[in-house]
Amino acid sequence: MEQQVLSVRGMTCAACAQRIEKVVNKLPGVAQASVNLASEKLFVEYDGAAVPDAVKAAVTKIGYEVVEKNRHSNVSIPIGGMTCAACAQRIEKVLSKTNGVVNASVNLATEKATVSYDPQTVRFSALKAAIEKIGYQVLEVAKTDAAEEDRLRKQKEIKRLWTKFIVSAVFSLPLLYIAMAPMISFARLPFPKILAPMNYPLIFALIQLLLVIPVIVVGHKFYTVGFKALVQRSPNMDSLIAIGTSAALLYSIFHTWQIARGDFAAAEALYFETAGVIITLILLGKSLEAVSKGKTSEAIKKLMGLAPKTAVILQNGQETTIAIDEVEIGDTLIVKPGEKIPVDGTVTSGQTAIDESMLTGESMPVDKKTGDAVYAASLNTSGSITFRAEKVGSDTALARIIQLVEDAQGSKAPIAQMADIVSGYFVPIVCAIALVAGIAWFIGTRDVEFSLKIFISVLVIACPCALGLATPTAIMVGTGKGAENGILIKGGEALETAHKIDTIVFDKTGTITEGRPTVTDIITASGENADELLRLIASAENRSEHPLGQAIVQFAKEKGIALLQAEGFESLTGRGIKAVIDGRAVLAGNHKLMQEQGIALTALGGEAERLAQEGKTPMFLAVDGAFAGIVAVADVVKESSRAAIERLRGMGIAVAMITGDNQKTAAAIAKQVGIDRVLAEVLPQDKSNEVKKLQSEGRKVAMVGDGINDAPALAQADIGIAIGSGTDVAMESADIVLMHSDLNDVPTAISLSKKTIRNIKQNLFWAFGYNTIGIPIAAGLLHLFGGPLLNPMFAAAAMSLSSVSVLTNALRLKRFKPSQNERKGSH
């Protein structure tokens, strides 16, 4: 199965999204299609090379515009030295002949070349070289990437909507005044006599008609899209607006004609202001909606903003600054202090410290030397380095994270299914209710105007937008907020399931513990010095490749202890080592080795037993045949482990630990962090069975592991949570990835899930509640019992505000922060 993401333009409400999904899901080869109204994206999972073209054709056929992610780069190149049209033609010819250039055009008046090219085929530097080779000068270049283009497009759309609203308001406000002022006699509002409806009814009607025309022109899209959808038997929100305002307009135009024929009483039956004000209010709502939608994707913009736009490449001994998308695998790049790493790669020369907090959350810079990996968007803080580019473009760790967040924001939570089903039937049902209510009131009152008011109000107050935006906006903000906190949630389903979790199983090594052994205790026999003991054992272990031995060597180096040369080194398999250090015979190993050599452990035997019970590995040291002391090594518990487990227990979640270690070591670690249930001596392949057993008890289980040997268990759990550095994360097997390797992010992820689902439920409640209450009121239910009648203009204002209120509520999630109580444990 393959996946593709397409941008779809022209959607106005949930009915549009539902229709696209329905059409695409029917296409042969399509496994699943999902439309996100908030981000205007279509996510398609398919099998077959011809399917993408069929999808585009199908979506275009039903009246929407499909925009693919452009793999070509577009650049505008200012050129100096052109004097005539022949110069422009020559440059255009040279660029067009360059391999990899899709299109090139040169404008002599602006002195710019506009080039579309494939960066995989040709470098931007090659384009510059081609222009300079024929004698012209390339000036400073301004490039825009896909994200920037999308941002600019959305800004233009917001500006366009505000302009339309302002134009509409400029004409509809005087229209409303002219229509209403004569009716409000008690207010004695100033009013031109030439427009008095009783004296000059035709002028009164024609002025209103002239004022409403610009409003209709500005809002023409409601009619073109709405009626087209109606003809294709898939009405949407635009259809409701188009039918309602058209009814008011046609009714008013008919009465204007009646006035022209001499029926002056028809001046009281004009509804031009209703149509004008409805369109104005809806344009206001759409403008506010567009601004709010833009805020939902700020997390993606922040992530994209981390990446540098240029890189310094080393070619033929020369440093050249190039655009980031021109960097290719194998290129040698130079990064100086204060600059960002442009792509992923391996250091080839130099030493430095790099701030990788954007990936790992670790505030301290990480030392880098030849052979170490570096990652795009991390910050070089000290020395200069050169490195070889190994992952570029969409393969970098940052790009993969951005893609994961984008995919998650486009996914649907199961809770959205009810809204989707309702949206599919919503508009036709509303049209039917409006028609039935209008006819019923006409039969009861024989008043056409009254029935028309009811008909228009029902059509205009109904809001499929609020239903369509309720879930995706909350998911976009929730997953975006997670990404800001280093928590990558892979989709709406994971986000929803996480809030139901009642049991969390932690892998021990590398999850609860650091995953690497370190020295924890040095206990000396009488008369021995701790530092000297450490020097002797570290010097002996320096020749050993055993992980415990290397942990001792590393610990000694960190303490600044100078190691001595080992002679006669011998590794004693399964027992330890022996060597001669500074003329002294050193023996280091386990209890068995000491017994073999006849060395009595004297009074420290009890200490060794205590260390073992604490989950530590005691290593015994003998010097010149006499027992010298014990060095204990253990995989230490992470600082965040106990606090995180306390937080989870405070949230009412049961916690278990799973490990391949022996029962004694596992119990010691579990005791340190406050875990009661321990599953010890479990082989990697059996971890998923242990998760299955917990699920058979009726529990909703999350598994937290390092994402490598825990993959089967991560997949088996209701939610798999991979904890990693953000570069080696198990993106395939886990539902949630914790980039910061901080276990506090586990309860934070659960808390974020709970808050997001609560937000979705609030949105759906208001969306359903609004329509459930609004439509009957608009249909005249209150009026039937002597109550007020809803004016169509108030209905339009309410409809616009309903969408904005749902978006505003979703944006409240942006304020999400793990509380101090949660951090410290809430009990």
Side-chain angles (χ1 to χ4, degrees):
M1 285 287 174
E2 293 184 70
Q3 291 181 328
Q4 189 170 28
V5 181
L6 301 168
S7 291
V8 180
R9 313 270 165 81
M11 292 189 291
T12 56
C13 67
C16 299
Q18 183 76 7
R19 187 176 177 220
I20 293 168
E21 277 185 11
K22 198 173 178 181
V23 168
V24 175
N25 274 316
K26 283 181 179 176
L27 294 174
V30 173
Q32 189 181 5
S34 173
V35 175
N36 186 320
L37 175 64
S39 62
E40 297 179 309
K41 298 269 177 68
L42 165 61
F43 295 77
V44 188
E45 195 173 323
Y46 65 93
D47 188 10
V51 175
D53 290 333
V55 169
K56 282 178 267 178
V59 175
T60 305
K61 189 178 177 182
I62 56 173
Y64 303 95
E65 183 189 355
V66 179
V67 183
E68 277 188 276
K69 280 189 175 179
N70 191 3
R71 74 185 191 94
H72 296 143
S73 288
N74 299 305
V75 63
S76 179
I77 308 173
I79 299 170
M82 290 192 291
T83 55
C84 65
C87 298
Q89 201 168 5
R90 189 178 175 209
I91 295 168
E92 200 171 288
K93 194 174 179 182
V94 167
L95 287 172
S96 297
K97 282 183 176 180
T98 303
N99 187 31
V101 172
V102 179
N103 185 49
S105 63
V106 179
N107 188 318
L108 179 63
T110 60
E111 295 184 306
K112 284 183 181 177
T114 305
V115 187
S116 177
Y117 67 99
D118 182 357
Q120 300 298 318
T121 309
V122 62
R123 285 182 180 277
F124 173 65
S125 53
L127 303 180
K128 285 167 65 177
I131 296 168
E132 288 168 351
K133 190 178 178 181
I134 55 173
Y136 301 95
Q137 183 188 1
V138 175
L139 307 174
E140 192 179 341
V141 179
K143 289 191 71 172
T144 56
D145 57 19
E148 181 67 9
E149 283 176 8
D150 189 55
R151 186 185 68 80
L152 292 172
R153 180 188 67 79
K154 284 181 177 174
Q155 279 187 347
K156 280 182 185 174
E157 176 68 9
I158 291 168
K159 189 178 179 182
R160 188 179 64 81
L161 282 168
W162 278 121
T163 304
K164 283 189 170 189
F165 163 68
I166 291 164
V167 171
S168 182
V170 164
F171 288 96
S172 60
L173 287 173
L175 171 62
L176 180 65
Y177 185 86
I178 290 167
M180 303 303 290
M183 299 181 195
I184 312 172
S185 54
F186 63 86
R188 298 184 180 276
L189 296 170
F191 195 78
K193 290 182 180 178
I194 191 74
L195 297 178
M198 302 309 295
N199 302 326
Y200 305 100
L202 187 59
I203 294 174
F204 176 72
L206 290 174
I207 288 292
Q208 288 187 63
L209 177 60
L210 289 171
L211 284 169
V212 83
I213 286 170
V215 180
I216 301 302
V217 171
V218 164
H220 72 279
K221 197 177 174 186
F222 294 123
Y223 301 95
T224 54
V225 174
F227 284 123
K228 186 176 181 181
L230 201 61
V231 169
Q232 293 175 340
R233 291 182 296 174
S234 57
N236 58 15
M237 185 203 77
D238 289 341
S239 306
L240 298 178
I241 297 164
I243 296 167
T245 55
S246 294
L249 282 168
L250 293 171
Y251 186 75
S252 302
I253 290 167
F254 170 73
H255 281 91
T256 303
W257 180 64
Q258 291 286 78
I259 294 167
R261 292 185 63 195
D263 182 4
F264 292 178
E268 294 178 8
L270 299 176
Y271 283 93
F272 287 120
E273 84 287 353
T274 299
V277 172
I278 284 172
I279 288 172
T280 303
L281 288 169
I282 288 165
L283 283 171
L284 172 61
K286 285 284 173 192
S287 302
L288 294 170
E289 193 179 302
V291 172
S292 299
K293 273 186 189 176
K295 289 179 181 175
T296 61
S297 57
E298 279 180 5
I300 292 281
K301 290 174 191 168
K302 282 181 183 175
L303 284 170
M304 287 178 166
L306 291 173
K309 299 288 183 277
T310 59
V312 178
I313 188 170
L314 195 64
Q315 285 181 313
N316 303 321
Q318 297 291 316
E319 293 182 16
T320 310
T321 301
I322 62 170
I324 193 73
D325 52 5
E326 291 176 54
V327 178
E328 293 176 0
I329 293 170
D331 283 347
T332 298
L333 304 171
I334 297 174
V335 183
K336 293 172 184 172
E339 295 178 348
K340 284 185 176 181
I341 306 294
V343 295
D344 294 3
T346 301
V347 177
T348 54
S349 68
Q351 286 188 328
T352 187
I354 291 181
D355 179 358
E356 294 181 344
S357 57
M358 39 66 66
L359 275 179
T360 64
E362 179 58 56
S363 58
M364 291 297 291
V366 182
D367 289 334
K368 299 286 181 179
K369 60 185 184 305
T370 302
D372 289 341
V374 291
Y375 303 102
S378 54
L379 182 67
N380 183 17
T381 61
S382 52
S384 291
I385 55 166
T386 61
F387 74 95
R388 183 176 63 256
E390 290 176 348
K391 288 182 180 177
V392 300
S394 60
D395 292 328
T396 65
L398 180 67
R400 285 165 63 210
I401 289 164
I402 291 169
Q403 186 60 51
L404 190 147
V405 177
E406 280 187 326
D407 290 348
Q409 291 190 340
S411 65
K412 287 194 173 179
I415 198 170
Q417 290 171 355
M418 178 173 58
D420 285 348
I421 292 165
V422 172
S423 299
Y425 297 101
F426 185 84
V427 178
I429 289 171
V430 169
C431 290
I433 291 171
L435 202 60
V436 169
I439 292 168
W441 278 107
F442 177 72
I443 292 169
T445 62
R446 296 290 168 185
D447 187 336
V448 177
E449 289 177 39
F450 186 85
S451 305
L452 185 68
K453 261 189 183 179
I454 295 286
F455 177 71
I456 295 168
S457 293
V458 173
L459 288 174
V460 170
I461 201 167
C463 187
C465 288
L467 283 172
L469 292 168
T471 305
T473 47
I475 287 175
M476 284 181 76
V477 178
T479 51
K481 199 67 196 172
E484 284 180 29
N485 286 280
I487 301 164
L488 302 182
I489 302 165
K490 289 179 82 171
E493 191 168 349
L495 189 65
E496 182 173 343
T497 306
H499 92 285
K500 301 174 187 173
I501 293 298
D502 55 27
T503 305
I504 294 184
V505 180
F506 286 94
D507 176 50
K508 181 183 81 72
T509 308
T511 303
I512 289 175
T513 65
E514 293 286 356
R516 52 183 173 79
T518 188
V519 174
T520 57
D521 301 83
I522 300 174
I523 303 169
T524 63
S526 58
E528 295 290 341
N529 176 277
D531 283 353
E532 185 59 27
L533 187 74
L534 181 59
R535 184 196 306 274
L536 289 171
I537 194 169
S539 298
E541 293 285 5
N542 201 22
R543 295 274 300 273
S544 169
E545 293 181 359
H546 195 281
L548 297 184
Q550 286 302 305
I552 293 170
V553 173
Q554 184 63 32
F555 183 76
K557 286 180 177 176
E558 286 172 4
K559 287 198 72 175
I561 292 174
L563 302 187
L564 304 170
Q565 189 67 35
E567 296 171 3
F569 175 84
E570 189 180 341
S571 176
L572 307 170
T573 307
R575 291 165 293 160
I577 59 163
K578 67 177 181 178
V580 176
I581 310 293
D582 196 23
R584 303 175 77 185
V586 175
L587 200 64
N590 57 22
H591 192 274
K592 188 177 180 182
L593 179 64
M594 296 296 124
Q595 280 183 325
E596 278 180 8
Q597 299 296 322
I599 297 168
L601 301 181
T602 62
L604 295 184
E607 286 292 313
E609 184 64 27
R610 176 186 64 79
L611 292 168
Q613 285 178 353
E614 290 175 3
K616 299 170 183 175
T617 303
M619 291 183 68
F620 303 95
L621 182 71
V623 180
D624 293 332
F627 176 62
I630 301 171
V631 175
V633 179
D635 182 5
V636 296
V637 170
K638 288 180 181 174
E639 286 182 21
S640 62
S641 295
R642 185 170 184 86
I645 288 159
E646 280 183 6
R647 282 179 64 192
L648 288 168
R649 292 175 67 176
M651 293 164 73
I653 295 170
V655 183
M657 185 180 82
I658 194 165
T659 179
D661 275 358
N662 63 65
Q663 186 70 43
K664 188 184 282 186
T665 304
I669 296 292
K671 188 178 178 182
Q672 284 183 53
V673 294
I675 291 177
D676 300 324
R677 186 163 184 171
V678 180
L679 308 169
E681 298 174 29
V682 180
L683 296 172
Q685 61 267 31
D686 294 332
K687 286 182 181 179
S688 61
N689 290 330
E690 293 295 334
V691 170
K692 206 179 286 184
K693 283 179 192 173
L694 290 170
Q695 289 171 324
S696 67
E697 296 172 16
R699 297 172 182 269
K700 282 281 181 186
V701 181
M703 170 72 190
V704 185
D706 61 17
I708 301 163
N709 60 358
D710 299 316
L714 290 170
Q716 174 62 40
D718 296 284
I719 288 290
I721 302 175
I723 185 160
S725 64
T727 54
D728 281 307
V729 287
M731 299 217 174
E732 294 305 316
S733 53
D735 302 295
I736 297 174
V737 176
L738 308 181
M739 292 162 60
H740 295 170
S741 296
D742 184 345
L743 286 196
N744 271 307
D745 287 343
V746 175
T748 299
I750 304 291
S751 179
L752 178 61
S753 167
K754 288 179 185 290
K755 283 184 168 61
T756 304
I757 296 304
R758 189 185 306 142
N759 191 281
I760 289 172
K761 286 177 178 175
Q762 289 167 354
N763 284 349
L764 288 172
F765 172 80
W766 287 115
F768 279 120
Y770 163 82
N771 285 296
T772 305
I773 296 166
I775 292 172
I777 291 173
L781 186 66
L782 295 181
H783 191 71
L784 195 64
F785 297 100
L789 184 69
L790 188 68
N791 187 292
M793 289 182 282
F794 290 118
M799 189 274 253
S800 294
L801 287 172
S802 68
S803 297
V804 175
S805 64
V806 163
L807 281 161
T808 306
N809 188 49
L811 288 171
R812 286 194 310 116
L813 280 170
K814 288 171 74 69
R815 299 202 296 264
F816 170 82
K817 283 181 184 175
S819 71
Q820 284 305 109
N821 288 339
E822 283 180 323
R823 280 248 174 242
K824 293 173 183 172
S826 41
H827 60 280

PDB file of all heavy atoms in Angstrom, residues 42 103 124 201 241 254 306 373 378 404 438 448 576 614 707 736 802 814 822:
ATOM      1  N   LEU A  42      -6.365  15.929   1.682  1.00  0.00           N
ATOM      2  CA  LEU A  42      -6.950  14.621   1.385  1.00  0.00           C
ATOM      3  C   LEU A  42      -5.849  13.576   1.545  1.00  0.00           C
ATOM      4  O   LEU A  42      -4.823  13.644   0.871  1.00  0.00           O
ATOM      5  CB  LEU A  42      -7.510  14.603  -0.044  1.00  0.00           C
ATOM      6  CG  LEU A  42      -7.850  13.234  -0.649  1.00  0.00           C
ATOM      7  CD1 LEU A  42      -8.916  12.506   0.151  1.00  0.00           C
ATOM      8  CD2 LEU A  42      -8.308  13.388  -2.106  1.00  0.00           C
ATOM      9  N   ASN A 103      10.817  24.821 -16.496  1.00  0.00           N
ATOM     10  CA  ASN A 103      10.319  26.008 -17.193  1.00  0.00           C
ATOM     11  C   ASN A 103      11.190  27.207 -16.809  1.00  0.00           C
ATOM     12  O   ASN A 103      11.609  27.332 -15.667  1.00  0.00           O
ATOM     13  CB  ASN A 103       8.855  26.251 -16.785  1.00  0.00           C
ATOM     14  CG  ASN A 103       8.244  27.398 -17.564  1.00  0.00           C
ATOM     15  OD1 ASN A 103       8.344  27.462 -18.780  1.00  0.00           O
ATOM     16  ND2 ASN A 103       7.617  28.324 -16.856  1.00  0.00           N
ATOM     17  N   PHE A 124      20.891  24.613  -7.925  1.00  0.00           N
ATOM     18  CA  PHE A 124      20.651  26.019  -8.174  1.00  0.00           C
ATOM     19  C   PHE A 124      21.957  26.709  -8.576  1.00  0.00           C
ATOM     20  O   PHE A 124      21.974  27.611  -9.407  1.00  0.00           O
ATOM     21  CB  PHE A 124      20.055  26.673  -6.918  1.00  0.00           C
ATOM     22  CG  PHE A 124      19.931  28.160  -7.024  1.00  0.00           C
ATOM     23  CD1 PHE A 124      19.071  28.741  -7.941  1.00  0.00           C
ATOM     24  CD2 PHE A 124      20.706  28.996  -6.235  1.00  0.00           C
ATOM     25  CE1 PHE A 124      18.973  30.117  -8.057  1.00  0.00           C
ATOM     26  CE2 PHE A 124      20.620  30.363  -6.345  1.00  0.00           C
ATOM     27  CZ  PHE A 124      19.749  30.932  -7.251  1.00  0.00           C
ATOM     28  N   PRO A 201     -41.902  54.832  -3.607  1.00  0.00           N
ATOM     29  CA  PRO A 201     -41.644  53.401  -3.379  1.00  0.00           C
ATOM     30  C   PRO A 201     -40.697  52.766  -4.403  1.00  0.00           C
ATOM     31  O   PRO A 201     -39.899  51.903  -4.058  1.00  0.00           O
ATOM     32  CB  PRO A 201     -43.031  52.759  -3.427  1.00  0.00           C
ATOM     33  CG  PRO A 201     -43.863  53.739  -4.179  1.00  0.00           C
ATOM     34  CD  PRO A 201     -43.335  55.092  -3.865  1.00  0.00           C
ATOM     35  N   ILE A 241     -27.008  28.662   1.844  1.00  0.00           N
ATOM     36  CA  ILE A 241     -26.927  30.129   1.745  1.00  0.00           C
ATOM     37  C   ILE A 241     -27.498  30.591   0.409  1.00  0.00           C
ATOM     38  O   ILE A 241     -28.264  31.558   0.339  1.00  0.00           O
ATOM     39  CB  ILE A 241     -25.464  30.602   1.901  1.00  0.00           C
ATOM     40  CG1 ILE A 241     -24.946  30.228   3.294  1.00  0.00           C
ATOM     41  CG2 ILE A 241     -25.346  32.100   1.679  1.00  0.00           C
ATOM     42  CD1 ILE A 241     -23.440  30.287   3.423  1.00  0.00           C
ATOM     43  N   PHE A 254     -39.415  40.450  -7.484  1.00  0.00           N
ATOM     44  CA  PHE A 254     -40.803  40.314  -7.937  1.00  0.00           C
ATOM     45  C   PHE A 254     -41.646  41.487  -7.412  1.00  0.00           C
ATOM     46  O   PHE A 254     -42.434  42.096  -8.153  1.00  0.00           O
ATOM     47  CB  PHE A 254     -41.384  38.976  -7.447  1.00  0.00           C
ATOM     48  CG  PHE A 254     -42.865  38.847  -7.653  1.00  0.00           C
ATOM     49  CD1 PHE A 254     -43.392  38.638  -8.934  1.00  0.00           C
ATOM     50  CD2 PHE A 254     -43.759  38.976  -6.580  1.00  0.00           C
ATOM     51  CE1 PHE A 254     -44.769  38.527  -9.120  1.00  0.00           C
ATOM     52  CE2 PHE A 254     -45.123  38.881  -6.773  1.00  0.00           C
ATOM     53  CZ  PHE A 254     -45.635  38.647  -8.038  1.00  0.00           C
ATOM     54  N   LEU A 306      12.529  25.608  12.213  1.00  0.00           N
ATOM     55  CA  LEU A 306      13.790  25.203  12.846  1.00  0.00           C
ATOM     56  C   LEU A 306      14.888  24.974  11.820  1.00  0.00           C
ATOM     57  O   LEU A 306      16.063  25.168  12.102  1.00  0.00           O
ATOM     58  CB  LEU A 306      13.578  23.899  13.634  1.00  0.00           C
ATOM     59  CG  LEU A 306      12.712  23.973  14.902  1.00  0.00           C
ATOM     60  CD1 LEU A 306      12.480  22.574  15.445  1.00  0.00           C
ATOM     61  CD2 LEU A 306      13.364  24.850  15.961  1.00  0.00           C
ATOM     62  N   ALA A 373      27.384  11.362  14.770  1.00  0.00           N
ATOM     63  CA  ALA A 373      26.253  11.800  13.929  1.00  0.00           C
ATOM     64  C   ALA A 373      25.793  13.200  14.338  1.00  0.00           C
ATOM     65  O   ALA A 373      25.823  13.559  15.515  1.00  0.00           O
ATOM     66  CB  ALA A 373      25.099  10.816  14.066  1.00  0.00           C
ATOM     67  N   SER A 378      19.855  21.209  14.495  1.00  0.00           N
ATOM     68  CA  SER A 378      20.539  21.356  15.786  1.00  0.00           C
ATOM     69  C   SER A 378      21.574  22.480  15.658  1.00  0.00           C
ATOM     70  O   SER A 378      22.016  22.807  14.558  1.00  0.00           O
ATOM     71  CB  SER A 378      21.185  20.047  16.225  1.00  0.00           C
ATOM     72  OG  SER A 378      22.041  19.544  15.228  1.00  0.00           O
ATOM     73  N   LEU A 404       5.378  13.092  10.250  1.00  0.00           N
ATOM     74  CA  LEU A 404       4.580  12.337  11.203  1.00  0.00           C
ATOM     75  C   LEU A 404       3.493  13.228  11.811  1.00  0.00           C
ATOM     76  O   LEU A 404       2.334  12.814  11.943  1.00  0.00           O
ATOM     77  CB  LEU A 404       5.501  11.787  12.299  1.00  0.00           C
ATOM     78  CG  LEU A 404       4.902  10.775  13.282  1.00  0.00           C
ATOM     79  CD1 LEU A 404       5.971   9.777  13.699  1.00  0.00           C
ATOM     80  CD2 LEU A 404       4.332  11.444  14.498  1.00  0.00           C
ATOM     81  N   GLY A 438     -41.746  25.924   5.835  1.00  0.00           N
ATOM     82  CA  GLY A 438     -42.274  27.031   5.038  1.00  0.00           C
ATOM     83  C   GLY A 438     -43.688  26.746   4.541  1.00  0.00           C
ATOM     84  O   GLY A 438     -44.582  27.588   4.650  1.00  0.00           O
ATOM     85  N   VAL A 448     -47.331  34.653   2.682  1.00  0.00           N
ATOM     86  CA  VAL A 448     -46.141  34.250   1.923  1.00  0.00           C
ATOM     87  C   VAL A 448     -44.866  34.802   2.562  1.00  0.00           C
ATOM     88  O   VAL A 448     -43.860  34.107   2.690  1.00  0.00           O
ATOM     89  CB  VAL A 448     -46.240  34.723   0.446  1.00  0.00           C
ATOM     90  CG1 VAL A 448     -44.961  34.369  -0.311  1.00  0.00           C
ATOM     91  CG2 VAL A 448     -47.437  34.098  -0.227  1.00  0.00           C
ATOM     92  N   GLY A 576      36.278 -13.187  35.103  1.00  0.00           N
ATOM     93  CA  GLY A 576      36.872 -11.873  35.305  1.00  0.00           C
ATOM     94  C   GLY A 576      38.148 -11.698  34.518  1.00  0.00           C
ATOM     95  O   GLY A 576      38.301 -12.254  33.426  1.00  0.00           O
ATOM     96  N   GLU A 614      20.059  -4.955  45.852  1.00  0.00           N
ATOM     97  CA  GLU A 614      19.697  -3.639  45.294  1.00  0.00           C
ATOM     98  C   GLU A 614      19.755  -3.631  43.774  1.00  0.00           C
ATOM     99  O   GLU A 614      19.602  -2.587  43.139  1.00  0.00           O
ATOM    100  CB  GLU A 614      20.649  -2.569  45.855  1.00  0.00           C
ATOM    101  CG  GLU A 614      20.421  -2.280  47.323  1.00  0.00           C
ATOM    102  CD  GLU A 614      21.449  -1.296  47.880  1.00  0.00           C
ATOM    103  OE1 GLU A 614      22.296  -0.797  47.091  1.00  0.00           O
ATOM    104  OE2 GLU A 614      21.398  -1.019  49.092  1.00  0.00           O
ATOM    105  N   GLY A 707      11.578   0.738  21.702  1.00  0.00           N
ATOM    106  CA  GLY A 707      11.141   0.683  20.312  1.00  0.00           C
ATOM    107  C   GLY A 707      11.974  -0.170  19.397  1.00  0.00           C
ATOM    108  O   GLY A 707      11.739  -0.187  18.204  1.00  0.00           O
ATOM    109  N   ILE A 736       2.817   6.413  19.783  1.00  0.00           N
ATOM    110  CA  ILE A 736       3.292   7.679  20.333  1.00  0.00           C
ATOM    111  C   ILE A 736       4.809   7.580  20.492  1.00  0.00           C
ATOM    112  O   ILE A 736       5.322   6.558  20.945  1.00  0.00           O
ATOM    113  CB  ILE A 736       2.635   7.991  21.698  1.00  0.00           C
ATOM    114  CG1 ILE A 736       1.116   8.149  21.538  1.00  0.00           C
ATOM    115  CG2 ILE A 736       3.222   9.246  22.331  1.00  0.00           C
ATOM    116  CD1 ILE A 736       0.356   8.311  22.851  1.00  0.00           C
ATOM    117  N   SER A 802     -21.159  30.135  15.275  1.00  0.00           N
ATOM    118  CA  SER A 802     -21.052  28.751  15.748  1.00  0.00           C
ATOM    119  C   SER A 802     -19.725  28.127  15.303  1.00  0.00           C
ATOM    120  O   SER A 802     -19.052  27.458  16.082  1.00  0.00           O
ATOM    121  CB  SER A 802     -22.218  27.909  15.242  1.00  0.00           C
ATOM    122  OG  SER A 802     -22.140  27.747  13.849  1.00  0.00           O
ATOM    123  N   LYS A 814      -4.094  25.176  22.956  1.00  0.00           N
ATOM    124  CA  LYS A 814      -2.743  25.718  22.787  1.00  0.00           C
ATOM    125  C   LYS A 814      -2.161  26.150  24.133  1.00  0.00           C
ATOM    126  O   LYS A 814      -0.960  26.295  24.279  1.00  0.00           O
ATOM    127  CB  LYS A 814      -2.755  26.903  21.812  1.00  0.00           C
ATOM    128  CG  LYS A 814      -2.968  26.482  20.372  1.00  0.00           C
ATOM    129  CD  LYS A 814      -3.194  27.679  19.462  1.00  0.00           C
ATOM    130  CE  LYS A 814      -1.919  28.428  19.228  1.00  0.00           C
ATOM    131  NZ  LYS A 814      -0.948  27.688  18.424  1.00  0.00           N
ATOM    132  N   GLU A 822       0.866  17.634  38.436  1.00  0.00           N
ATOM    133  CA  GLU A 822       1.080  16.427  37.637  1.00  0.00           C
ATOM    134  C   GLU A 822       2.554  16.044  37.643  1.00  0.00           C
ATOM    135  O   GLU A 822       2.921  14.899  37.719  1.00  0.00           O
ATOM    136  CB  GLU A 822       0.618  16.653  36.194  1.00  0.00           C
ATOM    137  CG  GLU A 822      -0.881  16.585  36.039  1.00  0.00           C
ATOM    138  CD  GLU A 822      -1.298  16.812  34.593  1.00  0.00           C
ATOM    139  OE1 GLU A 822      -0.665  17.633  33.921  1.00  0.00           O
ATOM    140  OE2 GLU A 822      -2.245  16.181  34.144  1.00  0.00           O
TER     141      GLU A 822
END
